Amino acid sequence: MHLSLIALNARYLLLHREVEPDWSGGWRLGDLCRYYEVELTTAHDAASDARAAAEMAVSIAARHARIAGTRPDDLHRAQVAWYAEQKRELQAYYDRQGHDEQVSLEWPLETKRRR
């Protein structure tokens, strides 16, 4: 698995959310590392966090044949779609709550300026 395919967001790992839709544990990197039995040596250190995210992706693939059997380019396209779906759900939540928030569906990089 290529590091460039790992989608670590401040709130969740896209792969994790896809394979564990009913997850009720914590969403912090440390919580997910414990679940996937990955060592997080120094939280909030960029190199340590990136290594943990990469190892987590490997662990996810080891547990879920659907992920392991997906070609890297197809996995990237799937992550783009999963991200957009998750953000549409967040936008619907904000709309129901009456929040004046506009959620970007762009991933992995936003190209439009935020308000």
Side-chain angles (χ1 to χ4, degrees):
M1 181 162 291
H2 296 33
L3 283 177
S4 61
L5 296 177
I6 295 165
L8 182 63
N9 181 286
R11 291 192 165 173
Y12 47 72
L13 184 64
L14 284 172
L15 289 175
H16 172 73
R17 187 165 179 166
E18 179 62 22
V19 299
E20 300 286 351
D22 298 323
W23 175 255
S24 61
W27 287 102
R28 293 185 319 246
L29 182 58
D31 299 325
L32 296 173
C33 283
R34 276 187 294 284
Y35 178 72
Y36 286 107
E37 300 174 347
V38 168
E39 183 182 3
L40 177 60
T41 54
T42 309
H44 306 294
D45 171 74
S48 178
D49 290 357
R51 183 200 47 75
E55 289 180 17
M56 225 183 311
V58 171
S59 182
I60 290 170
R63 294 178 185 201
H64 300 276
R66 177 173 62 103
I67 300 299
T70 303
R71 292 179 14 172
D73 56 334
D74 292 335
L75 183 58
H76 176 76
R77 280 191 289 279
Q79 286 179 315
V80 171
W82 298 335
Y83 180 84
E85 178 183 338
Q86 292 169 14
K87 293 304 175 179
R88 280 191 291 275
E89 291 171 6
L90 180 59
Q91 185 67 63
Y93 169 78
Y94 285 155
D95 293 347
R96 285 191 307 274
Q97 298 298 316
H99 295 294
D100 185 26
E101 293 284 335
Q102 188 65 35
V103 177
S104 172
L105 304 180
E106 293 184 279
W107 186 85
L109 300 173
E110 292 185 14
T111 59
K112 296 176 186 162
R113 220 182 162 131
R114 288 185 178 208
R115 311 188 245 157

